[in-house]
Amino acid sequence: MSNPDELLVAISAAVESEQSNQMSLTVVVGGAVITGRLAPEAVWRERVAEVLKGSDRLGPFSDVFTRGPRGSRPGRGEAPTHLHFHLARILQGSLGIPETGGMYRVAIKDVSAWTVGDLSYVDR
């Protein structure tokens, strides 16, 4: 969307302000369907940093997620610009990739469609 959906911005702001990770959402971005739960940006950054720290090769990158000026992150009173998913999957056919869920950051302006809830496939 060239103009971010104000409902989606409001949902993201509520997740940020209440520091909740229980809001399930499914979005379409660039033709990909991503489904999972939203997390506040600070919590998302912390979790990504923890995963990276556990890797010999990727450990040095963990600092990128824990340091730095807040210039690129919304402060108080600023509308969120990104959705931060955890336990998220990209839906492909009857598969969710990765099966266990991953961490995704999605620009709200790039979301072309969305629905409340976490979609999953059941193979019958």
Side-chain angles (χ1 to χ4, degrees):
M1 297 180 168
S2 56
N3 294 320
D5 184 313
E6 42 186 77
L7 285 174
L8 200 51
V9 171
I11 289 169
S12 182
V15 168
E16 289 292 332
S17 68
E18 295 176 20
Q19 297 295 297
S20 171
N21 64 358
Q22 298 303 307
M23 181 61 183
S24 295
L25 195 70
T26 300
V27 298
V28 177
V29 180
V33 177
I34 300 173
T35 189
R37 283 194 286 172
L38 295 179
E41 181 177 0
V43 171
W44 183 87
R45 284 176 173 264
E46 187 177 299
R47 288 188 182 153
V48 171
E50 287 172 7
V51 170
L52 293 174
K53 279 181 190 175
S55 169
D56 291 336
R57 292 181 304 160
L58 300 176
F61 290 99
S62 67
D63 290 344
V64 171
F65 291 88
T66 58
R67 67 167 163 81
R70 292 188 49 90
S72 61
R73 291 182 260 166
R76 287 191 191 268
E78 292 181 42
T81 58
H82 290 78
L83 302 169
H84 296 88
F85 284 92
H86 72 112
L87 301 174
R89 296 171 323 280
I90 296 174
L91 300 180
Q92 179 66 39
S94 61
L95 297 174
I97 305 166
E99 277 186 36
T100 57
M103 306 291 284
Y104 296 100
R105 177 177 160 109
V106 175
I108 294 173
K109 68 177 180 61
D110 293 337
V111 173
S112 59
W114 61 275
T115 188
V116 171
D118 186 356
L119 298 182
S120 62
Y121 285 107
V122 177
D123 194 18
R124 296 182 188 188

